[in-house]
Amino acid sequence: MNLITFRTKKLNIFPSKPFNSLKMKNSLILFTLLFLCACSPISEGDKDAKSNLESSVRPDYVIVLHGGAGTIVKENLTPELEKSITKTMNDALEIGKFVLDSNGTAMDAIQKVIMHLENSPHFNAGKGAVFTHDGEHELDASIMDGKTMDAGAVGGIKGFKNPILAAKAVMDNSPHVMLSGTGANTFCKEQGLEMVDKEYFYTERRWKSLQSVLEKEKNKMGAILENQDYKYGTVGCAVLDKHGNLAAGTSTGGMTNKRWGRIGDAPIIGAGTYANNNTCAISATGHGEYFIRYAVAHDISARMEHGGVSFNEASKAVVNNVLVDAGGSGGIIGVDKDGNVAMPFNTKGMYRAYLKSTGERYIGMFKD
Ligand code: ASP
């Protein structure tokens, strides 16, 4: 299933005057056509689906999430896998909805949604994290509160089940924004964050990916950094809550075969994650080195704040022009202060979903 969009429309199907049998036949045909249009899931190319990203009425709340971008094409997914990934994203939306319906904050929702995605083997974060060159898992995450501009991040932590909680702990319980490596691990232990065995992170698919990149690397050093077909599976979430506050978070295992303590964009505030109540909340996925160099998430926000550009225009300009010109693949998801959603990507696909308090819900994977 490429896209699920549920919508309701008022249809004026009852003629006001009496009609003869021919008119009746035509009316019935018209009725049937309208009924079919209203009931069928609309395709990703449908204009309505796209314009619904922008809200004519400001919704009370909005949840947007991603599970990574890359070579995501229908041919590469079994129907079972597609169904399971769709369900995981839908369940994550439901978790966020529950938090926000219960008057929770954007920050609460971000953590709960991302924890659910981190606990799934489908995405490159938490349980499904990719392997480093040394066969380990080094996890990066960040979270930002658009109301206070507070932020927390961790880079290269090992053995912690939910890195997004580590990022939140840095924000709440340290005077810093970002901790990395050994020091970050010590801090997370002191915070009593749940730890898991190395085996918890083992997935056959990720192990095979490492083996295939290592094979490529025999011919070329640093193969991963040259590999444009790489599938990015980072997870992220952006939320506008009922109080008008924005927040964003991102969590990842980074890139397969990473080494030397490489840290990508996911824990870098302004690159992979950014939230500002004056503009928008964003989480990115893609080739992190480019997202860092071009300060992607902050650039989108700055274009809105200083250039008066809409969220949709700003995010498309950065993802489809700036990044493409630079050779950086990936995408972003986010929501602005008025509840407009943007989800541009320059790869073949991106796991993405959103839900608005108005009842509108979208789950997509592939390009038009
Ligand atoms: N952006 C992540 C990184 O470079 C990778 C991803 O999105 O999957 O670490």
Side-chain angles (χ1 to χ4, degrees):
M1 194 185 315
N2 191 26
L3 169 78
I4 303 172
T5 298
F6 302 101
R7 58 181 181 172
T8 49
K9 272 186 180 174
K10 271 194 181 168
L11 300 175
N12 191 14
I13 52 172
F14 298 108
S16 51
K17 289 179 193 163
F19 40 75
N20 60 29
S21 64
L22 182 64
K23 274 186 183 163
M24 186 170 202
K25 201 172 151 197
N26 287 340
S27 299
L28 275 174
I29 292 169
L30 183 65
F31 172 82
T32 312
L33 283 172
L34 287 171
F35 182 75
L36 286 174
C37 287
C39 292
S40 58
I42 54 179
S43 79
E44 206 159 344
D46 189 301
K47 279 200 176 116
D48 277 356
K50 282 185 176 161
S51 61
N52 280 347
L53 292 172
E54 298 193 4
S55 307
S56 46
V57 180
R58 188 180 179 284
D60 281 346
Y61 62 75
V62 178
I63 307 155
V64 201
L65 63 85
H66 72 79
T71 327
I72 299 164
V73 287
K74 206 167 178 70
E75 304 83 83
N76 291 351
L77 291 174
T78 61
E80 293 73 37
L81 189 56
E82 199 178 320
K83 205 169 152 197
S84 176
I85 293 172
T86 302
K87 181 176 182 324
T88 308
M89 289 197 281
N90 194 45
D91 289 348
L93 290 178
E94 284 299 325
I95 289 168
K97 181 178 184 312
F98 181 78
V99 172
L100 297 170
D101 278 337
S102 323
N103 228 13
T105 65
M107 289 293 281
D108 296 333
I110 294 287
Q111 290 168 84
K112 293 280 183 321
V113 168
I114 291 187
M115 278 173 75
H116 183 73
L117 298 171
E118 285 177 338
N119 294 344
S120 159
H122 291 315
F123 309 108
N124 171 21
K127 173 143 188 65
V130 297
F131 283 90
T132 65
H133 182 74
D134 300 322
E136 302 268 347
H137 299 90
E138 293 173 0
L139 312 170
D140 305 336
S142 66
I143 191 162
M144 183 162 188
D145 184 342
K147 179 184 170 194
T148 59
M149 303 296 281
D150 279 339
V154 285
I157 60 169
K158 284 185 190 175
F160 292 94
K161 190 177 178 196
N162 294 113
I164 194 67
L165 297 183
K168 180 69 167 34
V170 172
M171 176 180 141
D172 290 344
N173 304 330
S174 89
H176 309 297
V177 168
M178 187 176 183
L179 301 179
S180 71
T182 320
N185 284 315
T186 307
F187 172 81
C188 292
K189 272 186 203 151
E190 283 171 11
Q191 291 294 309
L193 296 177
E194 184 177 353
M195 295 197 72
V196 280
D197 293 340
K198 198 180 163 191
E199 289 67 48
Y200 171 80
F201 297 104
Y202 179 88
T203 52
E204 201 188 336
R205 189 160 68 102
R206 301 296 187 201
W207 181 248
K208 282 188 179 158
S209 297
L210 176 63
Q211 302 318 309
S212 104
V213 179
L214 287 175
E215 193 56 39
K216 280 183 194 156
E217 204 179 39
K218 281 184 187 157
N219 307 322
K220 186 160 184 164
M221 181 77 161
I224 188 57
L225 300 181
E226 304 291 332
N227 184 0
Q228 295 301 319
D229 288 333
Y230 183 76
K231 199 194 282 175
Y232 311 103
T234 290
V235 305
C237 181
V239 169
L240 169 71
D241 68 20
K242 281 184 186 170
H243 317 284
N245 293 319
L246 290 165
T250 310
S251 179
T252 189
M255 293 172 87
T256 305
N257 194 34
K258 68 181 182 181
R259 64 176 119 173
W260 307 309
R262 182 262 185 194
I263 292 176
D265 60 316
I268 311 264
I269 298 302
T273 301
Y274 194 69
N276 180 341
N277 268 10
N278 292 332
T279 55
C280 60
I282 292 175
S283 170
T285 176
H287 196 150
E289 279 66 14
Y290 291 88
F291 284 71
I292 297 171
R293 286 183 197 131
Y294 291 89
V296 164
H298 183 265
D299 186 8
I300 294 169
S301 168
R303 283 169 191 248
M304 294 171 72
E305 193 160 23
H306 309 300
V309 179
S310 74
F311 184 37
N312 186 28
E313 271 178 76
S315 54
K316 275 190 185 157
V318 174
V319 172
N320 296 331
N321 301 338
V322 176
L323 279 177
V324 168
D325 290 349
S329 56
I332 68 107
I333 57 95
V335 55
D336 74 8
K337 62 181 172 40
D338 299 315
N340 300 306
V341 168
M343 305 187 291
F345 54 95
N346 61 34
T347 46
K348 288 191 175 150
M350 180 165 81
Y351 297 124
R352 59 200 186 278
Y354 73 79
L355 180 149
K356 296 185 179 185
S357 56
T358 48
E360 192 191 327
R361 182 187 302 245
Y362 169 103
I363 299 177
M365 297 183 184
F366 314 116
K367 239 192 174 119
D368 289 355

